[in-house]
Amino acid sequence: MKEAQPRTIFLKDYKKPPFLIDETVLHFDLNEKNAIVRSRLDVRRNPDADSRPKDLYLDGVELELNSVAVDGVLLNKGQYEELSEGLKVLDVADTFVLECETLIRPQENTCLEGLYKSSSMFCTQCEAEGFRRITYYLDRPDVMSRFKTTICADNSLYPVLLSNGNETDKGDLDNGRHFVTWEDPFRKPCYLFALVAGNLLNIDDQYTTMTGRKVDLRMFVEPQNKDKCEHALNSLKASMKWDEEVYGREYDLDIFMIVAVDDFNMGAMENKGLNIFNSSCVLAKPDTATDATYQRIEAIVAHEYFHNWSGNRVTCRDWFQLSLKEGFTVFRDAEFSADMNSRTVKRIEDVNLLRTAQFAEDAGPMSHPVRPASFIEISNFYTLTIYEKGAEVVGMIHRLLGAELFRKGSDLYFERHDGQAVTTDDFIQAMQDASGKDLTQFKRWYDIAGTPVIDVDYSYDKSAQTFTLTLKQSCPSSNAGDAVEPFHIPFAFALLDSNGCNIPLIQQDDAVFANAPTELVLDFVEQEQTFVFQHIEKTPVPSLLRGFSAPVRLKETHSRDQLLFLMSNETDGFNRWDAGQKLAVDIIRSMSEDYIKGEPLSVDSRLIEAYRGLLISKSIDKALLSKMLLLPSESYLIELSEVANVDAIHHARNFVRDTLANQLKPELMQCYHDNSDLDVPYSADFTSIARRSLKNTALALLLSAGDPDALALAESQYANAENMTDQSASLIALVNSDFSEQREAALKSFYARWSKDPQVVEQWLSIQCGSPKYGTLENVKSLMSHEAFDIKNPNKVRSVIGAFCNQSLVNFHMASGAGYEFLADNVIKLNTLNPQIASRLVTPLTRWKKFDQDRQALMQGQLKRILGEESLSKDVYEVVSKSIK
Ligand code: B3K
Ligand code: ZN
């Protein structure tokens, strides 16, 4: 790999592009050893540019230049300069046509950026800066151009040739080759360019838009996957309808295409009119995909589709604005999923991810604001902060404005900026202008890193019948040091009486008492702010930060009894679940301390009774119950610790789990049976998903405690499962149990049955490698020599190395440091093959601060070893160098 000088790019240095490209005409000759790319660019000076350079500078990486011409005249060596990552065309006019011919080698491209081969097909990935690996270009999102693309390739190997927009021409060529031309009428930045060539089948559908236009929906897959498209196409139609109904957004081309590829660095890509998906995020049929996969596909298909407006029609000015499209689009897809499924469960899942992983990122060495101020490698900034915290920030605007004004704001944003490349400030301005609400202070959320902390204090005055709530905010781990000005935090709040009923909230200065609201979104804007509620007749229980109305850490003092009360009485579904989590966290944490002191462990019986109450409750919603029965994860417990003792957390949590299983066996068995009689055929509606989830949670609990009756259930479920959800749940339960003979038998038969299906094999690998019991290093290493493993395939890397390091935590953090060394070895290997995957994989080592001194030293040692490598990619260099003490 060519070593790039790690240079930091700053937002404050942004300059408008000195040149623009009105028209981009591309011609690809795809061959078995290489590809020849010819480009014809209509270039002109940008009248609004800040400077008037003599030369035109174009980005280009690992390109072999065959020729360059201006206005039809070939340039000689003195008229241009080839640079290590670009091309300089000297002394250019104000308007001219630039033509380049370059040779690239897709077959040797293992970083999976630009044009590459995935099994027998050619495909592209251009976001963020992959287009420069295809041809010389102004590879920046604020240069938007109309694209016309012709692809030539062998007709028998690549009968399908696709690019963005509409097909406008096709025909046969000599030597068994053919060509297809595509034209995209919408101007777009080159990161949205796509090309696919392969022997693919298409599964077709149609959608009629709100104005009656017919749009062809076409999904392209390798022939063996033709029966795995239905769910994605249904999800696409549901997304198109939802975006019309909720945002008034209609699709704009006559065709929408989706292609599934096996080798892909992330989930999917929103290229205009031609979305490219990782197979694991789009292909599904009941016997090979779990419920979780079904839901993930629905969400990702929606996300990519929604980008057509939030991202493509209105795009980002520069990559610092990435959350403009990603945060907004995640917010949109989360709302869509909430509308299609259980809103409460969707919120629980999103907050779980945010609190477990984004908070950890925000407290770690790669912490950055939603709008970062600088980066070395933009690929490192496709983070939970940009995506998930960015979505929370948009969600807070939604909460502050209300649905109606938010919609006015989004209408104004799309109308005002259609066809433009803009900033997060433009987004906020549109929201502000449409709603009349001042969002000046709110904007701080975009620029300050770190998770704000809210200290909560409250008191009840019986004689005055007032309830006083005092909130204090701080942001300890921020990039702004001690000087952080307060954030504008929407703090959703209610008071519950002893029957669990919401009490009317009458604030001191409220003139009218009638129809007082029972939930308020408090505008918490000061460092410290007090809210007083009147006419409260009896001591209430406060319900704080309902629905997790802001991405903050809440420091509060609910007692275990109050949490128990909230677990059964809270009217906000999210908070009800959260009360159970807080209670379990409190109990597991104090038991971890007992474990460290060598004291005997015992579980507070109130938790067991609370679980019993949930299991026998006739009224609780099954979707919510299925979430409430899950104990907080080890990762979350680690995140909450100052210094995490992984073994203690693991033992204490397992002890609680086993005690629940032993003491609640009849209720769990009943729960299993009550939810086993699902009708076949399989349906991925959320009620069926909740029932399967309940059944399988009960099974996992019972089996983890070694119950022989549960073993019989698991074996029978494994043998008779009608769908992958049930089959993999029973396999997971067996793998995580002590029944080693049955575990081995199930793993063997599973592989024998599914070895030809890559998506199922990925599950088989990650179930083993991520298991705290079975994911031992020896096992993981031996799986890396298995025929199913391929280090060049990102999904396999994630299923084996990623699953081990992120899920099998007791094994990854073993005291010898062998887990850390294993990760570093693989980061070094992947650094040359696929830097993006390598730099993502290294994350667990960057979290060294959470662990004891010995482990810190071991983790730091491995980070230093990686940093000492020659030819470190920018990706890995940035993450590792920022993570070293
Ligand atoms: N926009 C792409 C992500 C591209 C990642 C580039 N390293 C997928 C998405 O967020 O929709
Ligand atoms: Zn996205």
Side-chain angles (χ1 to χ4, degrees), residues 125 127-128 266 268-270 303-304 307 325-326 379 382 387 836:
Q125 172 53 37
E127 185 177 358
M266 65 275 170
M269 177 64 211
E270 70 264 25
H303 179 98
E304 305 312 331
H307 268 316
K325 72 178 180 81
E326 296 305 349
S379 299
Y382 287 76
Y387 277 68
Q836 281 187 20

Side-chain angles (χ1 to χ4, degrees), residues 390-497:
E392 291 297 316
V393 171
V394 176
M396 286 191 285
I397 301 175
H398 189 270
R399 207 179 263 271
L400 288 169
L401 267 54
E404 218 170 291
L405 289 179
F406 184 88
R407 168 66 194 271
K408 272 181 82 182
S410 71
D411 283 352
L412 180 60
Y413 168 72
F414 288 127
E415 187 198 325
R416 193 183 265 178
H417 299 298
D418 190 7
Q420 296 177 3
V422 302
T423 64
T424 51
D425 283 340
D426 295 318
F427 180 78
I428 295 283
Q429 194 61 48
M431 287 291 163
Q432 186 162 292
D433 291 349
S435 68
K437 302 233 166 168
D438 183 357
L439 295 171
T440 316
Q441 182 180 355
F442 184 83
K443 272 166 62 170
R444 227 160 264 163
W445 282 105
Y446 283 92
D447 292 321
I448 310 289
T451 308
V453 177
I454 302 184
D455 279 284
V456 181
D457 198 10
Y458 50 83
S459 60
Y460 174 63
D461 182 337
K462 181 138 190 58
S463 58
Q465 301 213 329
T466 55
F467 181 89
T468 304
L469 174 74
T470 301
L471 304 176
K472 273 188 222 164
Q473 56 167 300
S474 57
C475 192
S477 54
S478 90
N479 52 335
D482 293 338
V484 185
E485 297 286 313
F487 291 88
H488 183 170
I489 299 175
F491 191 93
F493 172 77
L495 288 174
L496 303 177
D497 69 16

Side-chain angles (χ1 to χ4, degrees), residues 133 318 333 364 503 515 612 742 810:
R133 293 174 173 273
D318 54 73
D333 83 57
I503 301 172
N515 299 325
R612 195 189 311 279
Q742 290 83 348
V810 268

Side-chain angles (χ1 to χ4, degrees), residues 12 69 386 436 708 721-723 730 765:
K12 64 177 167 47
I386 301 294
E722 299 273 354
N723 58 67
S730 47
L765 291 167

